[in-house]
Amino acid sequence: RILIVLDDVCGGCQQVVTPALSQQVLKNAQFMLASNAPGFIVKTISESTDIADQDNIMTVKLRTNFLVRDGSTVTVSALMGSQSADNTTFAVIISGEIGERLGKWTQSTGTLIVTLQQTILPQTGSVDISFILRNAAAAQASP
């Protein structure tokens, strides 16, 4: 089972400064938040290959029902069995962001931590986070 966590569940949403045209969208989003518990609408993970001892492009897709502010941290954990060593400058690609970003990968816990550099609107905004892990040297059972 993969666990995906955002560190900031709409804390400080009222502090967002937006152009006049966007204010109604955010007002509607705030109304939605008042009636629904913050959570993921979409939370998926996919891989490019399940072949042992190969580089595997992992893609995490997230969409929430709450505002995710620029600077929020996303933690993906329980990605066990990878040969990819611990790395505090782990390369990730995040949709909607220019260039490569750096995250923190911990092999023993199968945990990736990345910081978003964009704001994601509730319901309509989504983000894809892609990264490469080296599959285990021998085939392993899916959890």
Side-chain angles (χ1 to χ4, degrees):
R1 184 168 178 224
I2 307 298
L3 177 65
I4 302 172
V5 177
L6 280 167
D7 75 332
D8 180 15
V9 180
C10 201
C13 290
Q14 298 297 329
Q15 299 173 9
V16 176
V17 178
T18 58
L21 289 175
S22 299
Q23 288 181 5
Q24 187 61 43
V25 171
L26 292 176
K27 182 178 177 185
N28 291 342
Q30 291 300 317
F31 172 76
M32 234 175 10
L33 288 173
S35 61
N36 297 324
F40 292 100
I41 298 168
V42 175
K43 178 174 67 170
T44 62
I45 188 164
S46 59
E47 62 181 354
S48 63
T49 183
D50 61 358
I51 299 172
D53 205 29
Q54 297 295 310
D55 285 342
N56 190 355
I57 301 170
M58 309 292 292
T59 300
V60 176
K61 183 175 199 65
L62 302 173
R63 180 177 292 163
T64 67
N65 66 357
F66 60 93
L67 182 71
V68 178
R69 295 180 305 154
D70 177 359
S72 293
T73 301
V74 176
T75 302
V76 181
S77 61
L79 296 171
M80 306 302 289
S82 168
Q83 293 185 68
S84 299
D86 290 357
N87 189 341
T88 57
T89 57
F90 192 74
V92 297
I93 301 293
I94 302 174
S95 63
E97 297 185 13
I98 305 291
E100 186 176 83
R101 296 283 178 230
L102 299 178
K104 179 183 178 191
W105 167 253
T106 305
Q107 182 182 21
S108 62
T109 59
T111 301
L112 174 65
I113 301 171
V114 297
T115 301
L116 299 179
Q117 303 298 316
Q118 61 182 306
T119 296
I120 303 170
L121 293 175
Q123 307 292 338
T124 58
S126 66
V127 65
D128 292 348
I129 302 168
S130 297
F131 50 95
I132 298 174
L133 293 177
R134 184 78 176 179
N135 284 343
Q140 60 184 17
S142 178

PDB file of all heavy atoms in Angstrom, residues 25-26 29-30 32-33 41 63-68 120-125:
ATOM      1  N   VAL A  25     -13.565  32.030  -8.010  1.00  0.00           N
ATOM      2  CA  VAL A  25     -13.198  30.617  -8.030  1.00  0.00           C
ATOM      3  C   VAL A  25     -12.746  30.191  -6.640  1.00  0.00           C
ATOM      4  O   VAL A  25     -13.175  29.173  -6.109  1.00  0.00           O
ATOM      5  CB  VAL A  25     -12.080  30.346  -9.063  1.00  0.00           C
ATOM      6  CG1 VAL A  25     -11.549  28.933  -8.934  1.00  0.00           C
ATOM      7  CG2 VAL A  25     -12.596  30.603 -10.467  1.00  0.00           C
ATOM      8  N   LEU A  26     -11.885  30.996  -6.012  1.00  0.00           N
ATOM      9  CA  LEU A  26     -11.394  30.650  -4.681  1.00  0.00           C
ATOM     10  C   LEU A  26     -12.499  30.752  -3.633  1.00  0.00           C
ATOM     11  O   LEU A  26     -12.538  29.949  -2.701  1.00  0.00           O
ATOM     12  CB  LEU A  26     -10.211  31.524  -4.303  1.00  0.00           C
ATOM     13  CG  LEU A  26      -8.953  31.268  -5.126  1.00  0.00           C
ATOM     14  CD1 LEU A  26      -7.858  32.243  -4.741  1.00  0.00           C
ATOM     15  CD2 LEU A  26      -8.479  29.837  -4.974  1.00  0.00           C
ATOM     16  N   ALA A  29     -14.270  27.641  -3.849  1.00  0.00           N
ATOM     17  CA  ALA A  29     -13.432  26.584  -3.283  1.00  0.00           C
ATOM     18  C   ALA A  29     -13.511  26.616  -1.755  1.00  0.00           C
ATOM     19  O   ALA A  29     -13.588  25.568  -1.113  1.00  0.00           O
ATOM     20  CB  ALA A  29     -11.993  26.751  -3.736  1.00  0.00           C
ATOM     21  N   GLN A  30     -13.520  27.805  -1.167  1.00  0.00           N
ATOM     22  CA  GLN A  30     -13.617  27.911   0.288  1.00  0.00           C
ATOM     23  C   GLN A  30     -14.955  27.370   0.776  1.00  0.00           C
ATOM     24  O   GLN A  30     -15.025  26.700   1.803  1.00  0.00           O
ATOM     25  CB  GLN A  30     -13.440  29.368   0.736  1.00  0.00           C
ATOM     26  CG  GLN A  30     -12.035  29.895   0.536  1.00  0.00           C
ATOM     27  CD  GLN A  30     -11.020  29.095   1.299  1.00  0.00           C
ATOM     28  OE1 GLN A  30     -11.242  28.735   2.445  1.00  0.00           O
ATOM     29  NE2 GLN A  30      -9.906  28.795   0.670  1.00  0.00           N
ATOM     30  N   MET A  32     -16.676  25.023  -0.667  1.00  0.00           N
ATOM     31  CA  MET A  32     -16.554  23.577  -0.790  1.00  0.00           C
ATOM     32  C   MET A  32     -15.804  22.998   0.398  1.00  0.00           C
ATOM     33  O   MET A  32     -16.179  21.973   0.946  1.00  0.00           O
ATOM     34  CB  MET A  32     -15.763  23.256  -2.057  1.00  0.00           C
ATOM     35  CG  MET A  32     -16.444  22.325  -2.981  1.00  0.00           C
ATOM     36  SD  MET A  32     -15.559  22.082  -4.513  1.00  0.00           S
ATOM     37  CE  MET A  32     -13.984  22.823  -4.332  1.00  0.00           C
ATOM     38  N   LEU A  33     -14.740  23.680   0.802  1.00  0.00           N
ATOM     39  CA  LEU A  33     -13.939  23.185   1.916  1.00  0.00           C
ATOM     40  C   LEU A  33     -14.734  23.162   3.212  1.00  0.00           C
ATOM     41  O   LEU A  33     -14.517  22.307   4.062  1.00  0.00           O
ATOM     42  CB  LEU A  33     -12.694  24.047   2.091  1.00  0.00           C
ATOM     43  CG  LEU A  33     -11.634  23.865   1.019  1.00  0.00           C
ATOM     44  CD1 LEU A  33     -10.529  24.884   1.210  1.00  0.00           C
ATOM     45  CD2 LEU A  33     -11.071  22.465   1.064  1.00  0.00           C
ATOM     46  N   ILE A  41      -9.101  13.610  -4.554  1.00  0.00           N
ATOM     47  CA  ILE A  41     -10.095  13.159  -5.517  1.00  0.00           C
ATOM     48  C   ILE A  41      -9.441  12.087  -6.387  1.00  0.00           C
ATOM     49  O   ILE A  41     -10.045  11.085  -6.723  1.00  0.00           O
ATOM     50  CB  ILE A  41     -10.586  14.332  -6.391  1.00  0.00           C
ATOM     51  CG1 ILE A  41     -11.252  15.380  -5.518  1.00  0.00           C
ATOM     52  CG2 ILE A  41     -11.523  13.844  -7.489  1.00  0.00           C
ATOM     53  CD1 ILE A  41     -11.502  16.674  -6.250  1.00  0.00           C
ATOM     54  N   ARG A  63      -4.940  14.965  -7.352  1.00  0.00           N
ATOM     55  CA  ARG A  63      -5.936  16.035  -7.472  1.00  0.00           C
ATOM     56  C   ARG A  63      -6.656  16.067  -6.133  1.00  0.00           C
ATOM     57  O   ARG A  63      -7.034  15.033  -5.604  1.00  0.00           O
ATOM     58  CB  ARG A  63      -6.915  15.768  -8.603  1.00  0.00           C
ATOM     59  CG  ARG A  63      -7.962  16.911  -8.719  1.00  0.00           C
ATOM     60  CD  ARG A  63      -8.894  16.735  -9.866  1.00  0.00           C
ATOM     61  NE  ARG A  63      -8.138  16.898 -11.109  1.00  0.00           N
ATOM     62  CZ  ARG A  63      -8.584  16.500 -12.278  1.00  0.00           C
ATOM     63  NH1 ARG A  63      -9.756  15.926 -12.404  1.00  0.00           N
ATOM     64  NH2 ARG A  63      -7.864  16.668 -13.360  1.00  0.00           N
ATOM     65  N   THR A  64      -6.845  17.262  -5.598  1.00  0.00           N
ATOM     66  CA  THR A  64      -7.453  17.399  -4.272  1.00  0.00           C
ATOM     67  C   THR A  64      -8.743  18.198  -4.327  1.00  0.00           C
ATOM     68  O   THR A  64      -9.037  18.854  -5.322  1.00  0.00           O
ATOM     69  CB  THR A  64      -6.495  18.109  -3.293  1.00  0.00           C
ATOM     70  OG1 THR A  64      -6.336  19.466  -3.722  1.00  0.00           O
ATOM     71  CG2 THR A  64      -5.138  17.423  -3.240  1.00  0.00           C
ATOM     72  N   ASN A  65      -9.476  18.171  -3.207  1.00  0.00           N
ATOM     73  CA  ASN A  65     -10.659  19.012  -3.082  1.00  0.00           C
ATOM     74  C   ASN A  65     -10.356  20.226  -2.200  1.00  0.00           C
ATOM     75  O   ASN A  65     -11.258  20.869  -1.703  1.00  0.00           O
ATOM     76  CB  ASN A  65     -11.852  18.216  -2.546  1.00  0.00           C
ATOM     77  CG  ASN A  65     -11.641  17.745  -1.125  1.00  0.00           C
ATOM     78  OD1 ASN A  65     -10.589  17.940  -0.527  1.00  0.00           O
ATOM     79  ND2 ASN A  65     -12.657  17.099  -0.572  1.00  0.00           N
ATOM     80  N   PHE A  66      -9.071  20.524  -2.011  1.00  0.00           N
ATOM     81  CA  PHE A  66      -8.666  21.681  -1.235  1.00  0.00           C
ATOM     82  C   PHE A  66      -7.522  22.397  -1.950  1.00  0.00           C
ATOM     83  O   PHE A  66      -6.871  21.832  -2.819  1.00  0.00           O
ATOM     84  CB  PHE A  66      -8.261  21.290   0.195  1.00  0.00           C
ATOM     85  CG  PHE A  66      -7.111  20.312   0.254  1.00  0.00           C
ATOM     86  CD1 PHE A  66      -5.801  20.744   0.366  1.00  0.00           C
ATOM     87  CD2 PHE A  66      -7.348  18.948   0.206  1.00  0.00           C
ATOM     88  CE1 PHE A  66      -4.750  19.843   0.422  1.00  0.00           C
ATOM     89  CE2 PHE A  66      -6.304  18.036   0.263  1.00  0.00           C
ATOM     90  CZ  PHE A  66      -5.006  18.485   0.374  1.00  0.00           C
ATOM     91  N   LEU A  67      -7.303  23.629  -1.586  1.00  0.00           N
ATOM     92  CA  LEU A  67      -6.248  24.439  -2.175  1.00  0.00           C
ATOM     93  C   LEU A  67      -4.897  23.965  -1.661  1.00  0.00           C
ATOM     94  O   LEU A  67      -4.699  23.833  -0.456  1.00  0.00           O
ATOM     95  CB  LEU A  67      -6.467  25.906  -1.793  1.00  0.00           C
ATOM     96  CG  LEU A  67      -5.485  26.918  -2.363  1.00  0.00           C
ATOM     97  CD1 LEU A  67      -5.715  27.072  -3.860  1.00  0.00           C
ATOM     98  CD2 LEU A  67      -5.665  28.255  -1.672  1.00  0.00           C
ATOM     99  N   VAL A  68      -3.985  23.686  -2.574  1.00  0.00           N
ATOM    100  CA  VAL A  68      -2.622  23.306  -2.208  1.00  0.00           C
ATOM    101  C   VAL A  68      -1.725  24.488  -2.545  1.00  0.00           C
ATOM    102  O   VAL A  68      -1.622  24.883  -3.704  1.00  0.00           O
ATOM    103  CB  VAL A  68      -2.169  22.045  -2.979  1.00  0.00           C
ATOM    104  CG1 VAL A  68      -0.730  21.696  -2.619  1.00  0.00           C
ATOM    105  CG2 VAL A  68      -3.101  20.879  -2.694  1.00  0.00           C
ATOM    106  N   ILE A 120      -2.146  24.717  -6.460  1.00  0.00           N
ATOM    107  CA  ILE A 120      -3.077  23.848  -7.177  1.00  0.00           C
ATOM    108  C   ILE A 120      -4.481  24.133  -6.673  1.00  0.00           C
ATOM    109  O   ILE A 120      -4.757  24.029  -5.471  1.00  0.00           O
ATOM    110  CB  ILE A 120      -2.723  22.371  -6.958  1.00  0.00           C
ATOM    111  CG1 ILE A 120      -1.279  22.117  -7.404  1.00  0.00           C
ATOM    112  CG2 ILE A 120      -3.692  21.472  -7.709  1.00  0.00           C
ATOM    113  CD1 ILE A 120      -0.755  20.768  -7.004  1.00  0.00           C
ATOM    114  N   LEU A 121      -5.374  24.538  -7.596  1.00  0.00           N
ATOM    115  CA  LEU A 121      -6.755  24.846  -7.232  1.00  0.00           C
ATOM    116  C   LEU A 121      -7.533  23.564  -6.952  1.00  0.00           C
ATOM    117  O   LEU A 121      -7.289  22.530  -7.585  1.00  0.00           O
ATOM    118  CB  LEU A 121      -7.440  25.637  -8.341  1.00  0.00           C
ATOM    119  CG  LEU A 121      -6.905  27.035  -8.582  1.00  0.00           C
ATOM    120  CD1 LEU A 121      -7.591  27.656  -9.792  1.00  0.00           C
ATOM    121  CD2 LEU A 121      -7.101  27.904  -7.352  1.00  0.00           C
ATOM    122  N   PRO A 122      -8.488  23.632  -6.037  1.00  0.00           N
ATOM    123  CA  PRO A 122      -9.290  22.447  -5.737  1.00  0.00           C
ATOM    124  C   PRO A 122     -10.126  22.006  -6.933  1.00  0.00           C
ATOM    125  O   PRO A 122     -10.521  22.819  -7.756  1.00  0.00           O
ATOM    126  CB  PRO A 122     -10.206  22.905  -4.602  1.00  0.00           C
ATOM    127  CG  PRO A 122      -9.931  24.330  -4.355  1.00  0.00           C
ATOM    128  CD  PRO A 122      -8.845  24.782  -5.258  1.00  0.00           C
ATOM    129  N   GLN A 123     -10.373  20.696  -7.004  1.00  0.00           N
ATOM    130  CA  GLN A 123     -11.229  20.060  -8.004  1.00  0.00           C
ATOM    131  C   GLN A 123     -10.632  20.050  -9.405  1.00  0.00           C
ATOM    132  O   GLN A 123     -10.631  19.034 -10.059  1.00  0.00           O
ATOM    133  CB  GLN A 123     -12.638  20.688  -8.050  1.00  0.00           C
ATOM    134  CG  GLN A 123     -13.342  20.747  -6.731  1.00  0.00           C
ATOM    135  CD  GLN A 123     -13.727  19.375  -6.184  1.00  0.00           C
ATOM    136  OE1 GLN A 123     -13.829  18.418  -6.922  1.00  0.00           O
ATOM    137  NE2 GLN A 123     -13.918  19.292  -4.889  1.00  0.00           N
ATOM    138  N   THR A 124     -10.142  21.184  -9.897  1.00  0.00           N
ATOM    139  CA  THR A 124      -9.708  21.275 -11.288  1.00  0.00           C
ATOM    140  C   THR A 124      -8.207  21.141 -11.458  1.00  0.00           C
ATOM    141  O   THR A 124      -7.745  20.720 -12.506  1.00  0.00           O
ATOM    142  CB  THR A 124     -10.145  22.608 -11.911  1.00  0.00           C
ATOM    143  OG1 THR A 124      -9.584  23.671 -11.132  1.00  0.00           O
ATOM    144  CG2 THR A 124     -11.650  22.727 -11.944  1.00  0.00           C
ATOM    145  N   GLY A 125      -7.447  21.521 -10.461  1.00  0.00           N
ATOM    146  CA  GLY A 125      -5.995  21.468 -10.570  1.00  0.00           C
ATOM    147  C   GLY A 125      -5.470  20.093 -10.207  1.00  0.00           C
ATOM    148  O   GLY A 125      -6.012  19.410  -9.350  1.00  0.00           O
TER     149      GLY A 125
END
